[in-house]
Protein backbone atom coordinates (compact mmCIF):
# COMPACT_ATOMS: atom_id res chain seq x y z
CA UNK A 1 0.00 0.00 0.00
CA UNK A 2 1.26 3.48 -0.87
CA UNK A 3 -1.37 5.25 1.19
CA UNK A 4 -4.19 4.13 3.50
CA UNK A 5 -7.05 5.96 5.12
CA UNK A 6 -7.98 6.03 8.84
CA UNK A 7 -10.80 3.51 8.27
CA UNK A 8 -8.31 0.85 7.19
CA UNK A 9 -6.04 1.66 10.13
CA UNK A 10 -9.03 1.25 12.48
CA UNK A 11 -10.33 -1.91 10.81
CA UNK A 12 -7.01 -3.77 10.88
CA UNK A 13 -5.44 -2.24 13.99
CA UNK A 14 -2.08 -1.57 12.35
CA UNK A 15 -0.56 1.89 12.14
CA UNK A 16 -0.48 3.74 8.84
CA UNK A 17 3.29 3.26 8.84
CA UNK A 18 2.96 -0.52 9.26
CA UNK A 19 0.38 -0.75 6.49
CA UNK A 20 2.49 1.28 4.07
CA UNK A 21 5.92 -0.21 4.80
CA UNK A 22 5.20 -3.94 5.16
CA UNK A 23 4.35 -5.95 2.01
CA UNK A 24 0.59 -6.35 1.62
CA UNK A 25 1.07 -10.13 1.69
CA UNK A 26 1.87 -9.72 5.41
CA UNK A 27 -1.78 -8.87 6.11
CA UNK A 28 -3.52 -11.46 3.89
CA UNK A 29 -4.92 -14.66 5.34
CA UNK A 30 -2.70 -17.52 4.12
CA UNK A 31 -5.50 -19.38 2.30
CA UNK A 32 -6.36 -16.21 0.32
CA UNK A 33 -2.80 -15.28 -0.62
CA UNK A 34 -2.63 -16.99 -4.03
CA UNK A 35 -5.95 -15.60 -5.29
CA UNK A 36 -5.13 -12.16 -3.89
CA UNK A 37 -1.76 -12.02 -5.64
CA UNK A 38 -3.41 -13.13 -8.89
CA UNK A 39 -6.11 -10.46 -8.51
CA UNK A 40 -3.49 -7.79 -7.77
CA UNK A 41 -1.36 -8.82 -10.78
CA UNK A 42 -4.35 -8.64 -13.13
CA UNK A 43 -5.37 -5.26 -11.75
CA UNK A 44 -1.90 -3.67 -11.84
CA UNK A 45 -1.31 -5.00 -15.37
CA UNK A 46 -4.63 -3.52 -16.56
CA UNK A 47 -6.08 -6.92 -17.46
CA UNK A 48 -9.18 -5.89 -15.54
CA UNK A 49 -10.31 -3.94 -12.49
CA UNK A 50 -11.30 -5.47 -9.17
CA UNK A 51 -15.07 -5.70 -8.85
CA UNK A 52 -16.22 -7.05 -5.49
CA UNK A 53 -13.10 -9.19 -5.00
CA UNK A 54 -13.36 -10.66 -1.50
CA UNK A 55 -10.47 -11.77 0.66
CA UNK A 56 -9.58 -12.03 4.32
CA UNK A 57 -7.15 -9.82 6.19
CA UNK A 58 -5.55 -10.60 9.53
CA UNK A 59 -5.87 -7.82 12.09
CA UNK A 60 -3.04 -6.96 14.45
CA UNK A 61 -4.88 -8.88 17.18
CA UNK A 62 -5.17 -11.97 14.94
CA UNK A 63 -8.84 -11.66 14.01
CA UNK A 64 -10.01 -12.12 10.42
CA UNK A 65 -11.74 -9.35 8.48
CA UNK A 66 -13.51 -10.05 5.20
CA UNK A 67 -12.90 -7.18 2.76
CA UNK A 68 -14.67 -6.62 -0.57
CA UNK A 69 -12.41 -4.72 -3.02
CA UNK A 70 -12.97 -2.57 -6.09
CA UNK A 71 -10.29 -0.73 -8.04
CA UNK A 72 -9.67 1.90 -10.67
CA UNK A 73 -7.66 1.36 -13.82
CA UNK A 74 -3.94 2.07 -13.51
CA UNK A 75 -3.66 5.83 -13.89
CA UNK A 76 0.01 6.78 -13.69
CA UNK A 77 3.35 5.97 -15.23
CA UNK A 78 4.34 4.63 -11.81
CA UNK A 79 1.67 1.94 -12.12
CA UNK A 80 -0.59 3.31 -9.40
CA UNK A 81 -4.27 2.53 -9.03
CA UNK A 82 -6.91 3.46 -6.51
CA UNK A 83 -8.54 0.62 -4.60
CA UNK A 84 -11.23 0.76 -1.97
CA UNK A 85 -12.35 -1.98 0.32
CA UNK A 86 -15.50 -2.48 2.32
CA UNK A 87 -15.43 -4.46 5.57
CA UNK A 88 -18.14 -7.07 5.15
Amino acid sequence: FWKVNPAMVNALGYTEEELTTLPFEHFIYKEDLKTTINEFDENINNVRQANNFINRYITKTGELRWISWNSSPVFSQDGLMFAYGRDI
Side-chain angles (χ1 to χ4, degrees):
F1 301 110
W2 281 82
K3 193 172 188 181
V4 295
N5 65 19
M8 187 162 186
V9 170
N10 290 334
L12 298 181
Y14 293 95
T15 65
E16 181 177 353
E17 182 178 357
E18 289 170 319
L19 290 167
T20 57
T21 58
L22 293 169
F24 80 90
E25 294 94 339
H26 177 84
F27 309 103
I28 308 292
Y29 184 60
K30 184 179 176 180
E31 292 179 16
D32 294 347
L33 189 55
K34 185 177 179 180
T35 57
T36 300
I37 290 172
N38 184 59
E39 180 75 16
F40 175 77
D41 287 344
E42 289 185 1
N43 293 178
I44 205 71
N45 289 305
N46 266 337
V47 173
R48 62 185 177 77
Q49 296 169 253
N51 183 15
N52 197 35
F53 173 75
I54 298 171
N55 64 355
R56 292 168 283 185
Y57 276 69
I58 304 165
T59 68
K60 194 164 190 173
T61 61
E63 298 173 67
L64 291 181
R65 293 282 179 130
W66 294 78
I67 309 290
S68 173
W69 291 97
N70 292 283
S71 69
S72 73
V74 173
F75 59 81
S76 76
Q77 292 178 346
D78 295 326
L80 298 177
M81 66 179 175
F82 175 79
Y84 62 93
R86 184 172 51 96
D87 184 353
I88 57 172

